Amino acid sequence: MKPKSYPLQFEPILKERIWGGEKLKTILNKPIVSKITGESWELSTVEGDVSIVANGELKGKSLMELIDEMPNEILGTEVYKRFGKQFPLLFKYLDAREDLSIQVHPNDKLAKERHNSFGKTEMWYVTQADPDARIIVGFKNDSSKEEYLQHLNDKNLVSILDTVKAKSGDVFFLETGTVHAIGAGLVVAEIQQTSDITYRLYDFDRKDAQGNTRELHVDLALDAINYNKVDTQKKYETKTNTSNVVVDCPYFTTNFIPLGNKVSVSKSGETFTVYMCIEGAFEIEFDGFKKAYQKGDTVLIPAEINAFILNGKASILEIYIS
């Protein structure tokens, strides 16, 4: 007999990064032990980094095991039809104590041909921002391969890139091909296609503790880059107790819910839903199940759970595939 589904939490997969810090603990309550923790992977089926259930009867099982045993029930009928037994999204929190490298992600076609992977369309929700924190998103003006290479070789690539000041609550949507970098002083929630393919263009000539520089992928990136100016920042409404659409793209839909009290939610069973608690605290109530979640928590609602209640005072990101 198949086990009964319930809202699932997973053990965070913590990643040390040369640019990481300690805010994942101080701001998002993650159990980090390193002073250079850059990422907490909240929900992942990337090979070697598969999420493990942290709560309830299914504790200790991997997300891949659950999908293998109950694909329609976990993923949803339409998601299963479209992706098979693949979990198509990856959820993370990132803490940038220093600037990340300037990078780009390939589209589905290039990623499939070169790496047998999905491409990497992604979005950032800025959870916390230090004063004057900035991000790099695309080119200031339409550019070209030649201009890009000239500035890269001259070590002044940043001069032709668009740098934007970022504050808490800002959202940036990055289609594949967009050159980008998260700047120092930012904590972001990242929602993306399931892919770990990144082409690093420039790393500010940094060296790690052993004196080594990180690998660059200049040649691979040339055909992956969109050299045109792009508009990446998303404006969205903030109506209380409402799923306000932030990003709606072929790969995922993300809504922002300013939860003020109790809200009843109904789902179709076609897709899973993920909630990321950005601020405050809330509870999920479902068929005798009741659990509280706090800032930094991520919870997966299996697709077969089609009616439940959100209750509390919180800012929540709601993500599903439409």
Side-chain angles (χ1 to χ4, degrees):
M1 182 187 293
K2 291 180 179 177
K4 185 179 177 183
S5 291
Y6 56 91
L8 298 166
Q9 275 186 284
F10 295 82
E11 300 287 351
I13 301 169
L14 303 172
K15 303 277 189 179
E16 286 191 344
R17 297 290 188 245
I18 193 171
W19 40 262
E22 298 179 87
K23 286 183 181 176
L24 294 180
K25 179 179 181 179
T26 58
I27 292 177
L28 297 176
N29 306 299
K30 300 300 172 185
I32 70 171
V33 294
S34 164
K35 293 185 177 182
I36 55 165
T37 304
E39 302 184 22
S40 175
W41 289 23
E42 301 288 292
L43 257 178
S44 168
T45 53
V46 172
E47 187 175 353
D49 287 301
V50 177
S51 295
I52 304 296
V53 178
N55 69 308
E57 180 187 347
L58 299 172
K59 183 175 181 178
K61 278 187 171 279
S62 76
L63 180 53
M64 287 305 300
E65 286 179 279
L66 295 183
I67 292 170
D68 191 52
E69 294 169 10
M70 304 184 292
N72 278 306
E73 293 87 343
I74 298 293
L75 295 173
T77 53
E78 286 302 313
V79 175
Y80 181 35
K81 189 183 298 182
R82 181 173 164 191
F83 295 100
K85 291 184 177 182
Q86 298 181 89
F87 193 72
L89 299 179
L90 173 59
F91 298 81
K92 302 177 183 177
Y93 283 110
L94 287 79
D95 168 22
R97 179 180 52 83
E98 297 180 1
D99 294 337
L100 273 67
S101 62
I102 298 173
Q103 55 193 242
V104 73
H105 305 304
N107 61 28
D108 284 342
K109 183 174 182 292
L110 277 179
K112 181 69 175 176
E113 290 172 357
R114 295 175 176 177
H115 314 284
N116 194 30
S117 169
F118 290 126
K120 193 173 174 183
T121 296
E122 63 187 348
M123 66 157 278
W124 299 329
Y125 177 95
V126 179
T127 303
Q128 185 270 334
D130 290 351
D132 298 321
R134 296 176 180 274
I135 64 166
I136 289 171
V137 276
F139 292 90
K140 284 180 181 175
N141 302 292
D142 289 353
S143 185
S144 65
K145 190 178 295 188
E146 294 72 26
E147 182 185 39
Y148 155 76
L149 283 172
Q150 182 65 55
H151 283 79
L152 182 66
N153 292 332
D154 292 344
K155 297 188 184 295
N156 65 351
L157 177 60
V158 175
S159 68
I160 61 170
L161 299 179
D162 197 10
T163 304
V164 180
K165 187 171 180 179
K167 64 183 185 303
S168 178
D170 282 351
V171 171
F172 298 90
F173 176 61
L174 292 93
E175 295 186 273
T176 53
T178 304
V179 175
H180 62 274
I182 297 173
L186 291 170
V187 176
V188 305
E190 182 174 276
I191 298 148
Q192 59 164 93
Q193 291 176 267
T194 290
S195 169
D196 200 27
I197 308 300
T198 294
Y199 297 155
R200 192 177 295 118
L201 310 179
Y202 183 59
D203 198 31
F204 306 100
D205 301 312
R206 277 186 292 212
K207 295 183 179 179
D208 63 19
Q210 287 71 47
N212 301 313
T213 56
R214 295 195 293 173
E215 181 183 4
L216 300 180
H217 312 96
V218 175
D219 291 340
L220 282 172
L222 285 177
D223 293 333
I225 292 172
N226 176 5
Y227 295 95
N228 296 320
K229 180 177 172 60
V230 292
D231 183 15
T232 60
Q233 192 161 3
K234 292 289 186 178
K235 303 298 182 185
Y236 57 97
E237 295 191 57
T238 56
K239 294 178 182 175
T240 304
N241 295 335
T242 300
S243 292
N244 301 279
V245 178
V246 181
V247 169
D248 186 14
C249 74
Y251 304 104
F252 55 84
T253 296
T254 299
N255 301 325
F256 178 73
I257 305 175
L259 188 67
N261 43 52
K262 187 175 287 191
V263 173
S264 296
V265 181
S266 297
K267 297 289 182 180
S268 67
E270 294 181 346
T271 173
F272 61 87
T273 303
V274 172
Y275 291 106
M276 303 180 82
C277 186
I278 301 302
E279 195 66 62
F282 72 103
E283 294 179 337
I284 293 176
E285 301 173 23
F286 155 72
D287 192 23
F289 174 98
K290 188 174 182 179
K291 191 172 187 307
Y293 304 92
Q294 63 176 346
K295 183 176 180 178
D297 283 345
T298 301
V299 57
L300 168 65
I301 310 293
E304 70 171 341
I305 299 176
N306 53 25
F308 52 92
I309 292 170
L310 305 177
N311 188 16
K313 293 186 182 301
S315 296
I316 304 169
L317 297 181
E318 176 185 57
I319 305 100
Y320 51 84
I321 292 179
S322 56

